[in-house]
Amino acid sequence: MAMISQKAKYALRALIALARAPQSEPLVISDIARVHRIPKKFLEQILLDLKRQGLLTSKRGKGGGYVLLRPADKITYGEVLRIVDGPIAPLPCLSITAYRKCADCLDETNCETRQVFAHVADATRKVLDQTTIADAVAMPRHELLAS
Amino acid sequence: MAMISQKAKYALRALIALARAPQSEPLVISDIARVHRIPKKFLEQILLDLKRQGLLTSKRGKGGGYVLLRPADKITYGEVLRIVDGPIAPLPCLSITAYRKCADCLDETNCETRQVFAHVADATRKVLDQTTIADAVAMPRHELLAS
DNA sequence: GCCAACCCGATAGGATTTGTCAACTATACC
DNA sequence: GGTATAGTTGACAAATCCTATCGGGTTGGC
Ligand code: FES
Ligand code: FES
Protein backbone atom coordinates (compact mmCIF):
# COMPACT_ATOMS: atom_id res chain seq x y z
CA MET A 1 0.00 0.00 0.00
CA ALA A 2 0.96 3.46 0.91
CA MET A 3 3.90 4.48 -1.18
CA ILE A 4 4.97 8.09 -0.75
CA SER A 5 4.96 9.91 -4.08
CA GLN A 6 7.96 11.00 -6.03
CA LYS A 7 6.61 14.49 -5.82
CA ALA A 8 6.82 14.37 -2.03
CA LYS A 9 10.37 13.10 -2.14
CA TYR A 10 11.33 15.95 -4.42
CA ALA A 11 9.57 18.50 -2.26
CA LEU A 12 11.32 17.36 0.88
CA ARG A 13 14.67 17.21 -0.81
CA ALA A 14 14.23 20.73 -2.12
CA LEU A 15 13.19 22.05 1.27
CA ILE A 16 16.21 20.51 2.91
CA ALA A 17 18.39 22.13 0.28
CA LEU A 18 16.79 25.47 0.98
CA ALA A 19 17.22 25.01 4.70
CA ARG A 20 20.91 24.35 4.17
CA ALA A 21 21.41 27.48 2.10
CA PRO A 22 23.50 29.94 4.06
CA GLN A 23 21.68 32.95 5.50
CA SER A 24 18.50 32.23 3.59
CA GLU A 25 20.26 33.19 0.45
CA PRO A 26 17.87 32.51 -2.42
CA LEU A 27 18.33 29.33 -4.41
CA VAL A 28 17.37 29.06 -8.05
CA ILE A 29 15.20 26.31 -9.39
CA SER A 30 17.74 25.26 -11.98
CA ASP A 31 20.44 24.82 -9.37
CA ILE A 32 18.30 22.78 -7.03
CA ALA A 33 17.14 20.67 -9.93
CA ARG A 34 20.61 20.03 -11.23
CA VAL A 35 22.30 19.37 -7.91
CA HIS A 36 19.55 17.18 -6.50
CA ARG A 37 18.54 15.40 -9.69
CA ILE A 38 14.99 16.66 -9.88
CA PRO A 39 13.27 17.31 -13.23
CA LYS A 40 13.27 21.06 -13.48
CA LYS A 41 9.77 21.71 -14.79
CA PHE A 42 8.34 19.31 -12.26
CA LEU A 43 10.18 21.06 -9.50
CA GLU A 44 8.70 24.36 -10.61
CA GLN A 45 5.22 23.08 -9.96
CA ILE A 46 6.19 21.70 -6.60
CA LEU A 47 7.83 24.85 -5.36
CA LEU A 48 4.89 26.88 -6.56
CA ASP A 49 2.57 24.71 -4.51
CA LEU A 50 4.74 25.13 -1.48
CA LYS A 51 4.80 28.84 -2.04
CA ARG A 52 1.05 29.11 -2.37
CA GLN A 53 0.73 27.32 0.95
CA GLY A 54 3.02 29.81 2.60
CA LEU A 55 6.13 27.76 3.13
CA LEU A 56 8.29 29.63 0.70
CA THR A 57 8.67 32.98 -0.86
CA SER A 58 10.32 33.81 -4.13
CA LYS A 59 12.00 36.61 -5.91
CA ARG A 60 11.98 36.99 -9.65
CA GLY A 61 14.57 38.24 -12.04
CA LYS A 62 18.29 38.12 -11.78
CA GLY A 63 19.51 37.27 -8.31
CA GLY A 64 16.10 35.83 -7.55
CA GLY A 65 15.14 32.37 -6.34
CA TYR A 66 13.37 30.69 -3.49
CA VAL A 67 13.74 31.21 0.23
CA LEU A 68 12.18 29.50 3.21
CA LEU A 69 9.59 31.68 4.83
CA ARG A 70 9.88 30.04 8.23
CA PRO A 71 12.73 28.59 10.23
CA ALA A 72 13.30 24.97 9.27
CA ASP A 73 12.33 23.72 12.70
CA LYS A 74 8.84 25.10 12.19
CA ILE A 75 8.18 23.11 9.04
CA THR A 76 7.00 19.60 9.71
CA TYR A 77 7.04 16.62 7.40
CA GLY A 78 3.33 16.24 7.96
CA GLU A 79 2.65 19.70 6.69
CA VAL A 80 4.69 19.17 3.56
CA LEU A 81 3.13 15.83 2.81
CA ARG A 82 -0.36 17.20 3.19
CA ILE A 83 0.43 19.88 0.65
CA VAL A 84 1.94 17.68 -2.00
CA ASP A 85 0.29 14.30 -1.43
CA GLY A 86 -2.97 15.26 0.18
CA PRO A 87 -4.30 13.83 3.43
CA ILE A 88 -2.06 11.56 5.46
CA ALA A 89 -4.78 9.28 6.78
CA PRO A 90 -5.00 5.90 5.05
CA LEU A 91 -8.79 6.16 4.83
CA PRO A 92 -10.94 9.15 3.95
CA CYS A 93 -13.01 8.58 7.07
CA LEU A 94 -9.88 9.01 9.20
CA SER A 95 -8.57 12.25 7.81
CA ILE A 96 -8.66 15.15 10.21
CA THR A 97 -7.93 17.72 7.53
CA ALA A 98 -10.22 16.31 4.85
CA TYR A 99 -12.78 13.98 6.32
CA ARG A 100 -15.04 12.15 3.91
CA LYS A 101 -17.42 9.36 4.63
CA CYS A 102 -16.39 6.02 3.20
CA ALA A 103 -18.73 5.29 0.34
CA ASP A 104 -18.96 1.59 0.94
CA CYS A 105 -19.14 1.37 4.73
CA LEU A 106 -22.57 2.14 6.03
CA ASP A 107 -21.89 1.87 9.73
CA GLU A 108 -18.85 3.93 10.49
CA THR A 109 -18.79 3.50 14.26
CA ASN A 110 -18.69 -0.26 13.96
CA CYS A 111 -16.30 -0.48 11.05
CA GLU A 112 -13.45 -2.73 12.16
CA THR A 113 -11.17 -1.55 9.37
CA ARG A 114 -11.63 2.00 10.51
CA GLN A 115 -10.79 1.18 14.10
CA VAL A 116 -7.61 -0.65 13.23
CA PHE A 117 -6.37 1.95 10.81
CA ALA A 118 -7.10 4.69 13.27
CA HIS A 119 -4.13 3.33 15.20
CA VAL A 120 -2.01 3.32 12.09
CA ALA A 121 -2.96 6.91 11.35
CA ASP A 122 -2.14 7.98 14.88
CA ALA A 123 1.24 6.35 14.80
CA THR A 124 2.05 7.88 11.44
CA ARG A 125 0.99 11.34 12.46
CA LYS A 126 2.97 11.12 15.66
CA VAL A 127 6.11 10.76 13.58
CA LEU A 128 5.33 13.08 10.71
CA ASP A 129 3.93 15.97 12.70
CA GLN A 130 6.87 15.99 15.09
CA THR A 131 9.69 15.66 12.62
CA THR A 132 10.81 18.89 11.00
CA ILE A 133 13.03 19.87 8.13
CA ALA A 134 15.53 21.02 10.73
CA ASP A 135 15.70 17.48 12.08
CA ALA A 136 16.51 16.26 8.61
CA VAL A 137 19.21 18.87 8.14
CA ALA A 138 20.77 17.90 11.44
CA MET A 139 20.96 14.23 10.59
CA PRO A 140 24.37 12.61 10.94
CA ARG A 141 26.27 12.33 7.71
CA HIS A 142 28.01 9.05 7.43
CA GLU A 143 31.24 9.03 5.59
CA LEU A 144 31.39 6.98 2.47
CA LEU A 145 34.46 4.92 3.18
CA ALA A 146 36.14 4.81 -0.17
CA SER A 147 38.40 1.85 -0.89
CA MET B 1 -0.36 10.01 0.57
CA ALA B 2 -0.78 6.45 1.55
CA MET B 3 -4.37 5.56 0.98
CA ILE B 4 -5.20 1.92 1.57
CA SER B 5 -6.76 0.37 -1.49
CA GLN B 6 -10.34 -0.63 -1.93
CA LYS B 7 -9.11 -4.11 -2.61
CA ALA B 8 -7.52 -4.29 0.82
CA LYS B 9 -10.68 -3.07 2.47
CA TYR B 10 -12.67 -5.76 0.70
CA ALA B 11 -10.14 -8.44 1.59
CA LEU B 12 -10.21 -7.57 5.26
CA ARG B 13 -13.97 -7.36 5.34
CA ALA B 14 -14.26 -10.75 3.72
CA LEU B 15 -11.78 -12.32 6.12
CA ILE B 16 -13.66 -10.95 9.09
CA ALA B 17 -16.84 -12.40 7.66
CA LEU B 18 -15.17 -15.76 7.28
CA ALA B 19 -13.81 -15.61 10.80
CA ARG B 20 -17.31 -14.94 12.08
CA ALA B 21 -18.78 -17.93 10.26
CA PRO B 22 -19.77 -20.57 12.80
CA GLN B 23 -17.54 -23.64 13.00
CA SER B 24 -15.60 -22.70 9.91
CA GLU B 25 -18.66 -23.46 7.86
CA PRO B 26 -17.85 -22.57 4.27
CA LEU B 27 -19.12 -19.26 2.97
CA VAL B 28 -19.99 -18.72 -0.64
CA ILE B 29 -18.60 -15.81 -2.65
CA SER B 30 -22.03 -14.63 -3.70
CA ASP B 31 -23.21 -14.43 -0.12
CA ILE B 32 -20.18 -12.52 1.12
CA ALA B 33 -20.45 -10.19 -1.84
CA ARG B 34 -24.13 -9.52 -1.31
CA VAL B 35 -24.07 -9.13 2.45
CA HIS B 36 -20.94 -7.00 2.58
CA ARG B 37 -21.47 -4.97 -0.57
CA ILE B 38 -18.46 -6.12 -2.49
CA PRO B 39 -18.50 -6.47 -6.29
CA LYS B 40 -18.70 -10.20 -6.79
CA LYS B 41 -16.23 -10.66 -9.60
CA PHE B 42 -13.74 -8.44 -7.88
CA LEU B 43 -14.11 -10.44 -4.70
CA GLU B 44 -13.39 -13.64 -6.61
CA GLN B 45 -9.98 -12.33 -7.57
CA ILE B 46 -9.25 -11.23 -4.06
CA LEU B 47 -10.18 -14.51 -2.43
CA LEU B 48 -8.17 -16.37 -5.00
CA ASP B 49 -5.12 -14.33 -4.12
CA LEU B 50 -5.64 -15.03 -0.46
CA LYS B 51 -6.04 -18.68 -1.23
CA ARG B 52 -2.87 -18.84 -3.29
CA GLN B 53 -1.01 -17.35 -0.34
CA GLY B 54 -2.35 -20.00 1.95
CA LEU B 55 -4.80 -18.04 4.04
CA LEU B 56 -7.90 -19.76 2.74
CA THR B 57 -9.02 -22.97 1.27
CA SER B 58 -12.01 -23.58 -0.95
CA LYS B 59 -14.38 -26.26 -1.97
CA ARG B 60 -16.21 -26.33 -5.26
CA GLY B 61 -19.69 -27.44 -6.16
CA LYS B 62 -22.80 -27.44 -4.07
CA GLY B 63 -22.14 -26.93 -0.41
CA GLY B 64 -18.77 -25.47 -1.28
CA GLY B 65 -17.29 -22.11 -0.48
CA TYR B 66 -14.34 -20.61 1.32
CA VAL B 67 -12.96 -21.39 4.75
CA LEU B 68 -10.16 -19.88 6.80
CA LEU B 69 -7.17 -22.13 6.83
CA ARG B 70 -5.78 -20.76 10.09
CA PRO B 71 -7.32 -19.52 13.29
CA ALA B 72 -8.22 -15.85 13.00
CA ASP B 73 -5.72 -14.83 15.67
CA LYS B 74 -2.90 -16.11 13.50
CA ILE B 75 -3.75 -13.88 10.56
CA THR B 76 -2.31 -10.40 10.85
CA TYR B 77 -3.36 -7.26 9.08
CA GLY B 78 0.18 -6.84 7.87
CA GLU B 79 0.12 -10.19 6.16
CA VAL B 80 -3.13 -9.45 4.39
CA LEU B 81 -2.03 -6.04 3.26
CA ARG B 82 1.21 -7.36 1.85
CA ILE B 83 -0.75 -9.85 -0.22
CA VAL B 84 -3.29 -7.49 -1.68
CA ASP B 85 -1.50 -4.14 -1.68
CA GLY B 86 2.11 -5.17 -1.84
CA PRO B 87 4.84 -3.91 0.47
CA ILE B 88 3.85 -1.85 3.47
CA ALA B 89 6.91 0.37 3.52
CA PRO B 90 6.36 3.86 2.12
CA LEU B 91 9.58 3.70 0.15
CA PRO B 92 11.02 0.83 -1.87
CA CYS B 93 14.31 1.19 -0.03
CA LEU B 94 12.55 0.54 3.26
CA SER B 95 10.68 -2.61 2.42
CA ILE B 96 11.82 -5.69 4.27
CA THR B 97 9.87 -8.05 2.05
CA ALA B 98 10.67 -6.41 -1.28
CA TYR B 99 13.67 -4.16 -0.98
CA ARG B 100 14.57 -2.12 -4.02
CA LYS B 101 17.08 0.66 -4.30
CA CYS B 102 15.57 4.08 -4.84
CA ALA B 103 16.31 5.05 -8.39
CA ASP B 104 16.86 8.71 -7.69
CA CYS B 105 18.81 8.67 -4.42
CA LEU B 106 22.42 7.86 -4.93
CA ASP B 107 23.55 7.83 -1.34
CA GLU B 108 21.18 5.65 0.62
CA THR B 109 22.89 5.79 3.98
CA ASN B 110 22.74 9.56 4.06
CA CYS B 111 19.27 9.97 2.62
CA GLU B 112 17.30 12.07 5.09
CA THR B 113 13.98 11.07 3.61
CA ARG B 114 14.82 7.47 4.12
CA GLN B 115 15.77 7.97 7.74
CA VAL B 116 12.60 9.81 8.61
CA PHE B 117 10.30 7.37 6.87
CA ALA B 118 12.06 4.46 8.49
CA HIS B 119 10.37 5.63 11.67
CA VAL B 120 7.03 5.83 9.92
CA ALA B 121 7.45 2.33 8.58
CA ASP B 122 8.39 0.97 11.99
CA ALA B 123 5.39 2.55 13.63
CA THR B 124 3.07 1.25 10.94
CA ARG B 125 4.41 -2.25 11.07
CA LYS B 126 4.19 -2.30 14.84
CA VAL B 127 0.45 -1.86 14.51
CA LEU B 128 -0.24 -3.95 11.45
CA ASP B 129 1.87 -6.95 12.35
CA GLN B 130 0.38 -7.19 15.80
CA THR B 131 -3.26 -6.74 14.97
CA THR B 132 -5.06 -9.86 13.83
CA ILE B 133 -8.38 -10.65 12.26
CA ALA B 134 -9.40 -12.05 15.63
CA ASP B 135 -8.87 -8.62 17.16
CA ALA B 136 -11.17 -7.15 14.57
CA VAL B 137 -13.82 -9.77 15.20
CA ALA B 138 -13.67 -9.07 18.92
CA MET B 139 -14.18 -5.36 18.52
CA PRO B 140 -16.97 -3.83 20.52
CA ARG B 141 -20.15 -3.37 18.56
CA HIS B 142 -21.81 -0.12 19.35
CA GLU B 143 -25.54 -0.07 19.15
CA LEU B 144 -27.06 2.21 16.63
CA LEU B 145 -29.49 4.05 18.81
CA ALA B 146 -32.54 4.30 16.66
CA SER B 147 -34.91 6.77 18.22
C1' DG C 1 15.89 46.78 -23.68
C1' DC C 2 17.24 42.50 -22.43
C1' DC C 3 18.28 38.73 -19.82
C1' DA C 4 17.36 35.97 -15.72
C1' DA C 5 14.19 33.76 -13.22
C1' DC C 6 9.77 32.70 -11.61
C1' DC C 7 4.62 31.88 -13.05
C1' DC C 8 0.82 29.53 -15.40
C1' DG C 9 -2.16 26.40 -18.13
C1' DA C 10 -2.46 22.61 -20.96
C1' DT C 11 -1.42 18.21 -22.00
C1' DA C 12 0.50 13.68 -22.84
C1' DG C 13 2.25 8.97 -21.69
C1' DG C 14 2.16 5.57 -18.51
C1' DA C 15 0.94 3.12 -14.50
C1' DT C 16 -2.42 1.66 -11.24
C1' DT C 17 -6.94 0.84 -9.58
C1' DT C 18 -11.34 -0.89 -9.94
C1' DG C 19 -14.21 -3.64 -11.94
C1' DT C 20 -16.47 -6.68 -15.78
C1' DC C 21 -16.94 -10.63 -19.11
C1' DA C 22 -16.90 -15.11 -21.09
C1' DA C 23 -15.60 -19.45 -20.82
C1' DC C 24 -13.74 -23.45 -18.11
C1' DT C 25 -13.38 -27.04 -14.42
C1' DA C 26 -14.46 -29.58 -10.36
C1' DT C 27 -18.01 -31.36 -7.06
C1' DA C 28 -22.51 -32.82 -5.14
C1' DC C 29 -26.67 -34.86 -5.84
C1' DC C 30 -30.26 -37.23 -8.15
C1' DG D 1 -24.73 -39.59 -16.56
C1' DG D 2 -26.92 -35.07 -16.24
C1' DT D 3 -27.58 -30.94 -14.05
C1' DA D 4 -26.99 -27.32 -11.02
C1' DT D 5 -23.62 -25.26 -8.07
C1' DA D 6 -19.53 -22.92 -7.18
C1' DG D 7 -14.80 -21.91 -7.72
C1' DT D 8 -10.93 -20.86 -11.57
C1' DT D 9 -8.78 -18.53 -15.27
C1' DG D 10 -7.37 -14.99 -18.42
C1' DA D 11 -8.44 -11.17 -20.93
C1' DC D 12 -9.95 -6.68 -21.00
C1' DA D 13 -12.01 -1.88 -20.25
C1' DA D 14 -12.93 2.46 -17.87
C1' DA D 15 -11.37 5.74 -14.73
C1' DT D 16 -8.07 7.89 -12.13
C1' DC D 17 -3.58 9.33 -10.72
C1' DC D 18 1.36 10.08 -11.27
C1' DT D 19 5.10 11.90 -13.58
C1' DA D 20 6.81 14.85 -16.52
C1' DT D 21 7.08 18.11 -20.43
C1' DC D 22 5.89 22.18 -23.41
C1' DG D 23 5.11 26.80 -24.64
C1' DG D 24 4.51 30.73 -23.46
C1' DG D 25 3.76 34.84 -19.98
C1' DT D 26 5.26 38.02 -16.28
C1' DT D 27 8.35 40.38 -13.25
C1' DG D 28 12.62 42.44 -11.75
C1' DG D 29 17.49 43.87 -12.12
C1' DC D 30 20.81 46.11 -14.67
S1 FES E 1 -15.96 3.70 7.56
FE1 FES E 1 -14.11 4.28 6.69
S2 FES E 1 -13.36 2.29 6.44
FE2 FES E 1 -15.28 1.73 7.14
S1 FES F 1 17.24 6.09 -0.61
FE1 FES F 1 15.20 5.56 -0.54
S2 FES F 1 14.45 7.53 -0.27
FE2 FES F 1 16.48 8.08 -0.50
Side-chain angles (χ1 to χ4, degrees), chain A residues 9, chain B residues 91 93 102 105 108 111 113-114:
Chain A
K9 268 177 74 169
Chain B
L91 292 169
C93 65
C102 285
C105 295
E108 191 168 281
C111 176
T113 305
R114 183 176 142 93

mmCIF file of all heavy atoms in Angstrom, chain A residues 9, chain B residues 91 93 102 105 108 111 113-114, ligand 2:
data_model
loop_
_atom_site.group_PDB
_atom_site.id
_atom_site.type_symbol
_atom_site.label_atom_id
_atom_site.label_comp_id
_atom_site.label_asym_id
_atom_site.label_seq_id
_atom_site.Cartn_x
_atom_site.Cartn_y
_atom_site.Cartn_z
ATOM 1 N N LYS A 9 8.923 13.247 -2.332
ATOM 2 C CA LYS A 9 10.365 13.099 -2.144
ATOM 3 C C LYS A 9 11.094 14.330 -2.648
ATOM 4 O O LYS A 9 11.976 14.873 -1.974
ATOM 5 C CB LYS A 9 10.871 11.856 -2.895
ATOM 6 C CG LYS A 9 10.892 10.603 -2.044
ATOM 7 C CD LYS A 9 11.319 9.385 -2.833
ATOM 8 C CE LYS A 9 12.803 9.338 -3.137
ATOM 9 N NZ LYS A 9 13.200 7.999 -3.682
ATOM 10 N N LEU B 91 8.521 3.501 1.139
ATOM 11 C CA LEU B 91 9.579 3.696 0.147
ATOM 12 C C LEU B 91 10.147 2.326 -0.208
ATOM 13 O O LEU B 91 10.301 1.479 0.670
ATOM 14 C CB LEU B 91 10.713 4.556 0.721
ATOM 15 C CG LEU B 91 10.403 6.024 1.011
ATOM 16 C CD1 LEU B 91 11.530 6.655 1.805
ATOM 17 C CD2 LEU B 91 10.198 6.776 -0.289
ATOM 18 N N CYS B 93 13.064 1.456 -0.724
ATOM 19 C CA CYS B 93 14.314 1.188 -0.035
ATOM 20 C C CYS B 93 14.094 0.829 1.425
ATOM 21 O O CYS B 93 15.039 0.537 2.147
ATOM 22 C CB CYS B 93 15.229 2.406 -0.119
ATOM 23 S SG CYS B 93 14.589 3.857 0.741
ATOM 24 N N CYS B 102 16.259 2.938 -4.268
ATOM 25 C CA CYS B 102 15.565 4.081 -4.843
ATOM 26 C C CYS B 102 16.329 4.570 -6.055
ATOM 27 O O CYS B 102 17.522 4.865 -5.961
ATOM 28 C CB CYS B 102 15.451 5.205 -3.825
ATOM 29 S SG CYS B 102 14.219 4.891 -2.565
ATOM 30 N N CYS B 105 17.915 8.318 -5.529
ATOM 31 C CA CYS B 105 18.811 8.673 -4.425
ATOM 32 C C CYS B 105 20.115 7.917 -4.634
ATOM 33 O O CYS B 105 20.102 6.696 -4.684
ATOM 34 C CB CYS B 105 18.218 8.250 -3.089
ATOM 35 S SG CYS B 105 16.708 9.111 -2.650
ATOM 36 N N GLU B 108 22.265 6.135 -0.229
ATOM 37 C CA GLU B 108 21.179 5.650 0.616
ATOM 38 C C GLU B 108 21.413 5.888 2.105
ATOM 39 O O GLU B 108 20.502 6.247 2.844
ATOM 40 C CB GLU B 108 20.979 4.161 0.356
ATOM 41 C CG GLU B 108 19.727 3.594 0.959
ATOM 42 C CD GLU B 108 19.454 2.213 0.408
ATOM 43 O OE1 GLU B 108 18.930 2.099 -0.723
ATOM 44 O OE2 GLU B 108 19.772 1.240 1.109
ATOM 45 N N CYS B 111 20.524 9.410 3.098
ATOM 46 C CA CYS B 111 19.269 9.966 2.624
ATOM 47 C C CYS B 111 18.377 10.328 3.812
ATOM 48 O O CYS B 111 17.948 9.468 4.575
ATOM 49 C CB CYS B 111 18.566 8.963 1.725
ATOM 50 S SG CYS B 111 16.954 9.530 1.178
ATOM 51 N N THR B 113 15.333 11.578 3.814
ATOM 52 C CA THR B 113 13.976 11.070 3.614
ATOM 53 C C THR B 113 13.864 9.635 4.114
ATOM 54 O O THR B 113 12.935 9.277 4.847
ATOM 55 C CB THR B 113 13.619 11.140 2.120
ATOM 56 O OG1 THR B 113 13.815 12.477 1.669
ATOM 57 C CG2 THR B 113 12.178 10.743 1.904
ATOM 58 N N ARG B 114 14.818 8.864 3.714
ATOM 59 C CA ARG B 114 14.816 7.465 4.118
ATOM 60 C C ARG B 114 14.830 7.308 5.635
ATOM 61 O O ARG B 114 14.103 6.499 6.205
ATOM 62 C CB ARG B 114 16.035 6.769 3.514
ATOM 63 C CG ARG B 114 16.105 5.283 3.809
ATOM 64 C CD ARG B 114 17.286 4.653 3.081
ATOM 65 N NE ARG B 114 17.916 3.644 3.908
ATOM 66 C CZ ARG B 114 17.615 2.344 3.865
ATOM 67 N NH1 ARG B 114 16.709 1.927 3.027
ATOM 68 N NH2 ARG B 114 18.211 1.488 4.657
HETATM 69 S S1 FES E 2 17.243 6.092 -0.607
HETATM 70 FE FE1 FES E 2 15.199 5.557 -0.541
HETATM 71 S S2 FES E 2 14.452 7.534 -0.271
HETATM 72 FE FE2 FES E 2 16.483 8.083 -0.499
#
